[in-house]
Amino acid sequence: MTISYNWLKQFLRLDWTADQTAELLTDLGLEVEGVEHYSSVPGGLEGIVVGKVLTCTQHPNADRLKCTTVDIGQENPSAIVCGAPNVAEGQYVAVATVGTTLYAPDGTQWSIKKSKIRGEASEGMICAEDELGLGDNHDGIMVLEGSPVPGTPLSEIIEITKDEVFEIGLTPNRADAMSHWGVARDLKAGLLQKGIALELITPSTSSFHVDKRSLKIEVEVADQARAPRYAGVTISEIKVAPSPDWLKHRLSAIGVKPINNVVDVTNYILHELGQPLHAFDAAKITGNKVIVKTVAQDTEFTTLDGLSRKLDAEDLMICHEEGPMCIAGVFGGLESGVTENTTSIFLESAYFDPVSVRKTAKRHGLSTDASFRFERGIDPNSVEYALMRAAIMITELAGGHISSDITDIYPKKIKDHQVVLNYETAAKVIGQELPKETIKAILTSLDIKINNVTETSLGMTIPAYRNDVTREADVIEEILRVYGYNNIDFSPKINASIAPLGHREDFQIQNRLAQQLIGQGYFEILNNSLTAQTNSGLVDDLDPSMDVALLNPLSQELGVLRQSMIFGVLQSISFNLNRKVGGLRVFEFGKTYRLNQGAYQEFDALVLGLAGKANEQHWQSKAESMSFFELKSTVHQLLDSLGIRVSSEENCSQSLWQEGLTAYNGKNALVHYGVIQQKLCKAFDVELPVLYAEFNWAAIKSLIAQHSIKVKPITKFPKVKRDLALLLDQQISFDQLKQTALDTEKQLLREVSLFDVYTGKNIPEGKKSYALSFTLQDEHKTLTDKQIDKIMRKLQEAFTREFEAVLR
């Protein structure tokens, strides 16, 4: 946001430098990111001086050039070649001396140098109006009136406007400071804290009066929720023309292009008071009636930029009896705007619902000065005042007269906020006890009315324009920023209490697993919790009716909170694969959300995603795709690192997976993992198979809480390994064999592993061969062959009994 210092000083008669003021504004929370210098004439006429033409003769080598000598106040006259037809001896002219930079209307610039033109020396340039930025005339050089002293800087003869412009990085909550008036109001409070009491000069509207009631335009507000306050007045017999120079310069300084006297006044008031206005050509208001309402879905409407737009059924429009004229609070229409032929106007001033304006502006991809302010919330109580101020200015600059009473429809007044401030709370938050009188003085300087005072607290009324101050904490922030953060004392000693933390805090577990996954080549991703509502319909197990929908979504693609993290994972994989990333291993910690029978539910989750090549092509090895067993290995390693044992695994029944497993600990489902359905991948433009694991974080945390770590010395007695090759039915799984072995020998059997699976030649149909390895160990003595053989016989008998296994 840009603020003119000259403009600001119309409200506060301040003699500080711009840098001093910028420093105070920054301390007040209105951070000044830079100060730019503005001049109504490009370059500020630097290097341009008065010259007197002493001689003027025909150029010997050119018919259209003249050779002149010009007195520019130096010891010797300057020789200047000039092509203007009106140059003559005795004239007083504007001369650009050598080294001066001139600026063209299109923004280009060039420097004046000593040169030879057709063989004759030229040491400067006699300028025309347009070459100096003083007008549009290029018929000849600019001849000065009177007899000014040669060498006098032209800037001392011709009045130019100079200004300093603050570029303020305004935070979204400070809607009250979106104008020169708002910034001046804050500056006054800051100056008062420094002991400088200045009057805040308010533009007067006492001269407002209705000359004659000759043009009545009826107003109907059909949608009062979207337009809580709407006011308007008519002005007749105006003459649309260019604005006076002072107004042009005032707007140009802050980057607003002057258009005409009527439109410029509305822009002036917007930046002066923060109240957007709109002027309609009264002759184009069919039926002399303005209707504030929404229109039918997909109604065609052409805006001021000449684009035809399809309106949404929730877009608030300013209409006449035959159709829309303006998108309320956002952008005007092409057909109803003010032109050079306009003789009467309907001037609008309103307070529109911020949410409605923001949604409309977002839908149409529009961002205007008006929508910027309406979206954040303007002062509802300045609507009529700004309208009167603008009407007075228009009659002063465009002639005419006010031809109707003000129509002000404000059925339900927006109330000021009531807040109670506790002194003790303020001291705790600030870190220092401020004098009560100081607190009261600061609040009063911010237009906050103190209703009642007790020993411990203050009761206050916050003006409606401070829609960001609604809580006690907000009031404390206001006190602190005006008092000055730099004025808060710091204690020489810092006291801190260290909270005892165990090793099972959620963030600690997540960090440990994250480091483990990173070590295995995974990258952590962080996706938006918001997703498209249509995504839930892509997975059979997800119910779209359980989506948690946003009341004010930024877009349809970010309309609901995710029920599953698969959507973000697939978007990340798609994004990277489209940019030729060969192999992807990603993980994400996050939350999923559901609306279940009116109750909002939130779940923690850890997910893994794999796609593409497991390794790059190499002369020693081929590039292989990510495999299910790599994902399974990672899943089990993560669970093992947490001390969680997988008791069983079953085929995953959830529709998200084309094929996969669910790992259990007892009856607790710990993780679902496998290959994602191909149709879901294609919905995100992923053609490769995607492996995906989703951990039940609640179940995992519950098991970790139950897990106790036991420390014991490493046994000095050796382990013994024995192998068995068994012929089994195809449907028997390794998990079944492992569990049977552990149940059979509970004391000395430490580990069971599968190191070979064989089906084929010499194996009967429907059978398979498993080669199992058994690790035995006694922690108190060395095992004997007799003990080992006995255990192996027990295991073999158990396999025969349970599975009809045959030793190969």
Side-chain angles (χ1 to χ4, degrees):
M1 183 183 73
T2 51
I3 293 293
S4 158
Y5 196 26
N6 286 349
W7 201 340
L8 202 59
K9 287 191 282 190
Q10 282 198 340
F11 298 110
L12 291 171
R13 303 300 188 200
L14 183 63
D15 57 2
W16 280 14
T17 66
D19 289 339
Q20 287 177 296
T21 304
E23 184 178 349
L24 179 55
L25 287 173
T26 299
D27 289 343
L28 288 168
L30 303 177
E31 183 183 0
V32 177
E33 298 173 341
V35 180
E36 299 291 335
H37 293 275
Y38 167 80
S39 174
S40 58
V41 177
L45 298 179
E46 290 281 340
I48 311 297
V49 298
V50 173
K52 181 179 181 180
V53 181
L54 302 177
T55 64
C56 180
T57 60
Q58 184 66 42
H59 193 292
N61 302 316
D63 294 338
R64 296 187 178 182
L65 298 178
K66 302 285 180 64
C67 293
T68 67
T69 55
V70 183
D71 179 8
I72 58 171
Q74 296 181 355
E75 184 177 350
N76 297 314
S78 298
I80 300 176
V81 176
C82 180
N86 65 328
V87 64
E89 184 179 320
Q91 291 175 334
Y92 289 89
V93 294
V95 178
T97 56
V98 174
T100 299
T101 299
L102 294 180
Y103 299 83
D106 62 0
T108 58
Q109 57 189 57
W110 71 96
S111 296
I112 303 300
K113 300 177 182 178
K114 286 184 179 181
S115 62
K116 281 194 174 184
I117 302 176
R118 294 287 185 95
E120 295 296 320
S122 184
E123 300 175 341
M125 176 178 171
I126 303 175
C127 301
E129 282 185 6
D130 65 334
E131 291 166 336
L132 298 176
L134 296 172
D136 300 323
N137 191 346
H138 194 69
D139 294 337
I141 59 169
M142 183 174 72
V143 180
L144 304 177
E145 296 180 356
S147 302
V149 178
T152 304
L154 194 63
S155 58
E156 295 181 9
I157 297 174
I158 295 177
E159 184 179 353
I160 61 174
T161 300
K162 291 188 177 182
D163 199 356
E164 290 161 305
V165 180
F166 302 120
E167 184 64 39
I168 295 179
L170 194 67
T171 53
N173 64 307
R174 291 303 307 277
D176 62 296
M178 293 187 296
S179 65
H180 287 76
W181 171 254
V183 173
R185 196 164 45 199
D186 248 26
L187 190 56
K188 174 180 177 290
L191 289 167
L192 193 62
Q193 186 60 29
K194 291 183 176 293
I196 303 172
L198 294 180
E199 179 190 358
L200 187 61
I201 302 168
T202 306
S204 173
T205 57
S206 59
S207 61
F208 179 89
H209 67 279
V210 181
D211 295 289
K212 51 183 176 180
R213 294 170 177 81
S214 58
L215 179 59
K216 170 70 174 175
I217 292 183
E218 185 183 349
V219 176
E220 176 189 341
V221 179
D223 193 333
Q224 292 181 352
R226 291 183 172 89
R229 186 174 189 181
Y230 190 90
V233 70
T234 64
I235 306 173
S236 301
E237 298 179 12
I238 63 171
K239 180 175 177 56
V240 177
S243 296
D245 288 342
W246 72 265
L247 181 53
K248 288 181 180 179
H249 298 328
R250 189 58 53 85
L251 294 176
S252 297
I254 59 172
V256 178
K257 182 181 177 182
I259 298 173
N260 59 53
N261 47 10
V262 174
V263 175
D264 290 351
V265 166
T266 63
N267 286 330
Y268 182 88
I269 297 300
L270 179 143
H271 290 280
E272 180 185 58
L273 303 177
Q275 173 65 52
L277 305 171
H278 192 78
F280 298 92
D281 189 330
K284 297 175 182 177
I285 301 177
T286 306
N288 278 2
K289 183 176 183 179
V290 169
I291 309 168
V292 185
K293 64 177 183 177
T294 55
V295 295
Q297 181 73 27
D298 295 331
T299 299
E300 294 279 348
F301 179 67
T302 304
T303 46
L304 275 173
D305 55 6
L307 296 179
S308 179
R309 304 175 187 273
K310 287 188 176 181
L311 301 176
D312 189 88
E314 295 197 356
D315 292 338
L316 186 66
M317 304 297 296
I318 311 301
C319 308
H320 52 57
E321 288 188 338
E322 294 184 359
M325 299 187 293
C326 172
I327 303 177
V330 181
F331 211 24
L334 186 63
E335 301 299 327
S336 61
V338 174
T339 68
E340 63 274 10
N341 299 319
T342 300
T343 58
S344 59
I345 62 169
F346 174 76
L347 189 60
E348 165 198 279
S349 180
Y351 175 87
F352 296 118
D353 177 59
V355 174
S356 173
V357 173
R358 182 182 64 81
K359 284 183 175 181
T360 296
K362 203 79 178 175
R363 269 193 292 268
H364 296 290
L366 292 169
S367 180
T368 62
D369 284 336
S371 68
F372 178 81
R373 286 157 177 79
F374 278 126
E375 287 174 23
R376 287 157 177 77
I378 62 168
D379 182 4
N381 296 321
S382 71
V383 169
E384 185 180 27
Y385 170 69
L387 185 64
M388 294 167 67
R389 168 94 169 123
I392 292 168
M393 286 188 66
I394 289 173
T395 56
E396 290 175 351
L397 301 181
H401 60 271
I402 298 171
S403 51
S404 75
D405 292 313
I406 290 178
T407 300
D408 187 4
I409 300 176
Y410 194 16
K412 186 177 180 181
K413 187 175 181 181
I414 296 172
K415 296 181 179 179
D416 296 337
H417 315 297
Q418 303 296 322
V419 179
V420 174
L421 172 67
N422 185 282
Y423 290 126
E424 186 178 347
T425 304
K428 285 181 181 178
V429 173
I430 294 172
Q432 177 179 326
E433 188 172 342
L434 303 184
K436 294 179 181 179
E437 291 306 314
T438 300
I439 291 175
K440 285 187 248 182
I442 290 173
L443 293 174
T444 302
S445 71
L446 292 171
D447 290 344
I448 294 176
K449 182 181 177 183
I450 299 174
N451 300 323
N452 53 73
V453 181
T454 68
E455 284 297 317
T456 59
S457 63
L458 291 174
M460 297 160 290
T461 299
I462 314 295
Y465 68 80
R466 289 309 305 270
N467 54 35
D468 61 318
V469 182
T470 57
R471 305 167 301 164
E472 184 181 32
D474 300 328
V475 175
I476 295 172
E477 181 185 0
E478 291 298 295
I479 295 169
L480 188 53
R481 72 178 181 85
V482 175
Y483 182 77
Y485 290 96
N486 296 332
N487 295 325
I488 300 299
D489 296 330
F490 288 91
S491 170
K493 182 176 69 172
I494 297 177
N495 297 320
S497 57
I498 301 174
L501 289 175
H503 62 279
R504 295 174 179 173
E505 299 294 331
D506 194 52
F507 73 93
Q508 294 175 320
I509 300 168
Q510 290 188 17
N511 288 341
R512 192 160 76 241
L513 294 185
Q515 291 302 318
Q516 183 176 340
L517 287 165
I518 290 168
Q520 293 179 243
Y522 282 75
F523 289 90
E524 185 170 10
I525 58 175
L526 182 63
N527 287 298
N528 200 328
S529 296
L530 300 173
T531 188
Q533 190 168 12
T534 54
N535 285 345
S536 298
L538 298 173
V539 182
D540 293 340
D541 291 332
L542 300 181
D543 184 356
S545 67
M546 298 178 74
D547 282 334
V548 178
L550 270 65
L551 295 176
N552 304 311
L554 290 173
S555 66
Q556 296 301 315
E557 288 73 28
L558 300 172
V560 299
L561 290 168
R562 62 191 176 193
Q563 285 196 55
S564 171
M565 293 174 65
I566 183 61
F567 309 124
V569 171
L570 288 175
Q571 285 174 337
S572 297
I573 288 175
S574 174
F575 181 89
N576 284 277
L577 290 178
N578 288 339
R579 284 154 183 79
K580 307 304 179 184
V581 178
L584 287 167
R585 296 178 178 87
V586 297
F587 72 96
E588 181 178 9
F589 290 98
K591 296 179 182 293
T592 59
Y593 311 85
R594 284 185 187 173
L595 178 60
N596 189 6
Q597 296 180 349
Y600 293 106
Q601 297 177 329
E602 182 177 295
F603 306 95
D604 294 314
L606 163 63
V607 296
L608 312 179
L610 294 84
K613 298 296 182 182
N615 58 287
E616 294 184 3
Q617 183 78 27
H618 191 268
W619 66 273
Q620 286 184 319
S621 61
K622 294 181 179 179
E624 296 182 355
S625 298
M626 301 283 186
S627 71
F628 170 82
F629 295 103
E630 178 180 348
L631 178 61
K632 180 176 181 178
S633 174
T634 303
V635 167
H636 281 263
Q637 287 175 29
L638 292 177
L639 294 175
D640 287 344
S641 71
L642 297 174
I644 297 175
R645 186 174 69 87
V646 176
S647 60
S648 63
E649 290 186 299
E650 298 177 2
N651 288 331
C652 182
S653 60
Q654 295 193 14
S655 64
L656 182 61
W657 285 269
Q658 183 174 312
E659 54 182 348
L661 296 174
T662 300
Y664 289 89
N665 177 279
K667 294 182 179 180
N668 294 317
L670 300 176
V671 55
H672 309 289
Y673 63 96
V675 181
I676 293 298
Q677 292 282 358
Q678 193 60 29
K679 67 175 184 178
L680 180 58
C681 295
K682 287 183 177 179
F684 290 86
D685 296 325
V686 178
E687 298 296 331
L688 298 177
V690 175
L691 297 156
Y692 178 72
E694 190 172 88
F695 289 78
N696 181 348
W697 196 248
I700 288 172
K701 286 197 294 184
S702 174
L703 290 171
I704 291 173
Q706 300 171 17
H707 178 65
S708 59
I709 298 175
K710 296 180 181 179
V711 179
K712 61 180 181 179
I714 299 174
T715 180
K716 58 184 178 181
F717 298 102
K719 294 179 181 179
V720 177
K721 287 194 174 184
R722 290 289 186 271
D723 300 336
L724 285 179
L726 302 174
L727 190 65
L728 302 157
D729 290 339
Q730 282 280 6
Q731 69 270 19
I732 296 172
S733 69
F734 167 69
D735 279 342
Q736 291 174 287
L737 296 172
K738 180 179 179 180
Q739 191 59 48
T740 298
L742 293 171
D743 290 341
T744 301
E745 178 52 54
K746 297 180 179 179
Q747 292 185 347
L748 302 180
L749 182 60
R750 298 286 176 254
E751 188 178 344
V752 182
S753 60
L754 175 67
F755 65 88
D756 185 50
V757 179
Y758 177 70
T759 57
K761 189 176 179 181
N762 298 326
I763 299 296
E765 187 176 351
K767 299 287 185 177
K768 61 183 176 183
S769 173
Y770 268 9
L772 304 177
S773 178
F774 302 89
T775 302
L776 306 171
Q777 186 181 39
D778 191 328
E779 296 180 356
H780 306 291
K781 60 183 179 179
T782 301
L783 291 171
T784 63
D785 289 341
K786 185 176 179 181
Q787 287 176 296
I788 295 168
D789 292 341
K790 182 179 179 181
I791 292 170
M792 296 307 296
R793 281 196 301 272
K794 282 172 58 180
L795 292 175
Q796 184 180 342
E797 289 170 0
F799 293 144
T800 302
R801 182 175 60 254
E802 297 291 334
F803 309 110
E804 298 182 358
V806 177
L807 189 66
R808 287 189 68 200

